[in-house]
Amino acid sequence: MSNSPTTTNRHGSSNPSRPILNPAAPPSAPLLPPPTADRPGFALALLQFAATPSVDDHIRLAAAVHFKNHLRSRWAPSPAAAAAEEPLSSSAPEKEQVKSVLVSLMLAALPRVQPQLSEALAVVSSHDFPQSWPALLPELVASLRNAAEANDYRAVNGLLGAAASLFSKFRISFDNNALRLDLKYCLDVFAAPLLEVFLKTSRLIAGNVAGPPDTLRPLFESQRLCCDIFHSLNSVELPEFFEEHMREWMTEFLAYLGTAYSPAVEAEGTVDALRASVCENLQLYMEKNEEELKDYLNDLASTVWKLLLTPGSSPSRDQLTVTAIKFLTTVSTSVHHSLFGSPEVLQRICSSIVFPNIRLREEDEELFEINYIEYVRRDIEGSDIDTRRRIACELLKGIALNYKEQVTTLVSMQIQEMLKVYAVNPGENWKEKDSAIYLVVALAPKAGSSGGYLVDVESFFTSVILPELQEQDVNAAPMVKAGALKFFTVFRDQIPKQAAMALLPHLARFLMSESNVVHSYAANCIEKLLLVKDRVTVSGSDVVTLTPRYGPLDINFFLPQLMTNLFSALQFPESQENPYIMKCIMRTLGISNVNSEVAAHCICRLAFVVSEVCKNPRNPTFNHYLFELIAALIGRSGEKDQALIPVFDASVFPVLWKILVDDMTKFWPYAFQIFAQLVEMSKPPLSDNYMQLFHVLLSPENWKRSGNVPALVRLLQAYLQKVPNELKDEGRLHQVVQISIGLLSASRTEELGFYVLNTVAENLSCEIVAPYFRDIWNAIFTRLQNRRVAKFVNSFVIFMSLILVKHGPSILVESTDSLQKGLFMQILQPFWIPNLKLISGATEMKLASVAATRLICASPVLLDPSFSELWGKMLDSIIILLAQPDQYKGELENGEADILETLGYSTAFARLHYGGKKEEDPLKEIRDPKEFLVTSLSRLSASYPGRYRTVIEKCVDPANQAALLQLCTTFNCAIV
């Protein structure tokens, strides 16, 4: 590939109108490809290898795969390459040469090579079609008609596969005018030829119904591809052509659903794959074109229903079953639900479709035993919607929307029958109980929905679930145990607290089950149980609050055994990085009162887990919960018992330091946040280890990684609070100021820059900071010239407020005016006054209002009579700020907020909920900012009787005057 898109290809013609490859007469020996992908002609050389008969078949396949992947990365430049002005895309002449021969070479390719070239064609068309490749679709249509006329279904299917890839964008792209223009072009050119081929192939199949699989397989595959294209071309809306020819399509769809072929053909699976595609198209029409489909719906629905009653064991039967039931489910919830209304139909659907499909099959048992992660993902994470079990229950729920009484009766009878069969021989018939439990759980209404339960939950729990949970052998009938634990988890809100607490020791026992699924479900059950909240009405009011049902007193007694079992469960094979176990540990310790002995034991175990994970990080969710747990343990236990801090230091610091030394960049944000906690808890002077970490913290290289920055700011704030005087040494404060200025320069980090400056203003003496004020103000005001958005200005107001309350109004005014005379008054009216009333957050509102109050009551600048109007406007903004309702209640208590299920690793910052910086009030001495306002005004007005009362009447809004009067009355103050 050349470095310039206009470089002539040195290995072929530079004339794009004359292809270098002739599929009809390939050269006897292929040209060697250029040694690297950057050389000109590389794509063409790969394509030549894939198309040359004299080359070994395996090499041709490898060349085709490489060609496809090469086009993916080089056909069009990536956004990153374009931003860096790197011309990494193929040259224009080479692109034209590839497009001119790709279709013909794909048709002539080996059967194994053809799909790769078809995918390559899709790659090119995704960038160039139709605008830059107008010849493609006419070429496909002409080739398709020729191949169909010659009954060459290898070529037909290759062309249809390419077209299917071409049109797939209509399924996944957002609807807009450009997409509709492309769709219209494709419909105009391809819709009629598609129907021609579809009908021609239908006639061939109809004339050879009893034919052998080898004969019918390519024909059924052709029809499946036609159905795939049908779906894509109908995804945006119903095209006029398909509406006009709906009878032809629906007639053939009905034929494939209702025709039985020879056992050999049925077993082969291609016909079931076709039927599944037909059902997907019917589902699409039910969702988008129900009115147009209604004339065919009765026959189609009954045929699909009968098809599901027909046993089959083809490889595509699962897919067919799922898509067919989806279609029937949609019908059952539509205005055509009466198709299922008769008692006989309901009985037959339940007994012949629903109940058989919710039974465990061999593959379910295998998945349970050999791939617990996938089993759990399907079963409790809601990704089983496309399994037979789940979709069968969805059909039952769909029918129950209109026939709930009948469905409830049928389900109840079926559950009783299953449990009766189970009771006869529990060892042999355990699958009956599993199916009964699954039915009840799957039919439970979703949280917040209005649907009721199809069974008596409490009765079922007592008679069916409780015996399983109380059984001493945690390894017996593991699939039934897993079902019982899932039931408890799903219905945890309905289980009385006393009953749930009695079962907590049993849940802890199941953590020791040898089954990965069972101990994962037990951990998940405990974790979800501890999140349950009850709606409680506040005494004497109509206010309803959500109160945690379970607190520290409920689990403290069980905590040692629970922790022992949870950590032991992490030792089971394949559960060393089990996210359900780690999340359960995190949740349990997050809400319990952890004593020193338990905390010390846990932190040592967790440090060991971190060191093991660092060897090969595999599960981002597990890792996040792991660090979240360490943060929770340090934050909650360290505050209560200072003697634990050396224990935490000894266990955690070496592991986190090794993360930095070994350049485990994925974990750096976690490490910095936990380091911040350790620094905050340490007593000055800090150890050499922490001062060495401070040196690492100030290294400019570490601030270049965007994912590190919020965590580095968090750590820097901890150092500024803990060792402010050490900043005078070795030019550290200069480095800190330069870091904050760098953060201020970008919109995504400007707020973080203010966090650093706020901490500097709050913790360092004026003598230390004064030499840097000029640089700080210069950076802020330069940014302010182009960045006048509310977010930036509000942060600016908070920073000025901190300087004012910590160092006094004169320092604030003099430091800004040192940059330019009178600058402070120039920023007061356009920035501070209008944005003051927009400040939010309880601490921020208090800080801003107190600072503004001191400004108007103690600063000589605003006490000058010539600035009376400005004084009145500032007071007006203060009143608006303080009159806001108390809607900012601070952070949630530790343990209440749920943690994101999946975070992954990226440039995005992974914040630790339990490692967050605690909000501190910089004005603890001031109890109420409203009282501070009126008492300050009262003292000021007493010194200048009548003056400020007049200003208030003239410059403050009447509504705010009334609010101020009310505050004066409340605090027994007067403005004279």
Side-chain angles (χ1 to χ4, degrees), residues 129-131 169-185 187 235-237 288:
F129 178 80
Q131 284 80 11
K169 71 174 184 178
F170 299 121
R171 298 191 187 199
I172 59 176
S173 301
F174 289 110
D175 186 10
N176 54 45
N177 290 336
L179 186 75
R180 286 179 176 258
L181 285 173
D182 287 353
L183 175 59
K184 183 180 185 307
Y185 168 72
L187 288 166
S235 289
V236 176
E237 64 180 2
K288 296 199 167 193

Side-chain angles (χ1 to χ4, degrees), residues 158-213:
L159 290 159
L160 289 174
S165 298
L166 202 66
F167 302 142
S168 62
K169 71 174 184 178
F170 299 121
R171 298 191 187 199
I172 59 176
S173 301
F174 289 110
D175 186 10
N176 54 45
N177 290 336
L179 186 75
R180 286 179 176 258
L181 285 173
D182 287 353
L183 175 59
K184 183 180 185 307
Y185 168 72
C186 294
L187 288 166
D188 290 344
V189 178
F190 204 83
L194 176 68
L195 182 57
E196 289 173 20
V197 172
F198 186 69
L199 294 177
K200 180 183 188 302
T201 310
S202 292
R203 291 192 292 272
L204 290 175
I205 293 173
N208 201 11
V209 172

Side-chain angles (χ1 to χ4, degrees), residues 837-849:
K837 56 195 172 193
L838 303 178
I839 302 297
S840 62
T843 303
E844 289 82 359
M845 289 169 64
K846 178 181 179 182
L847 169 65
S849 64

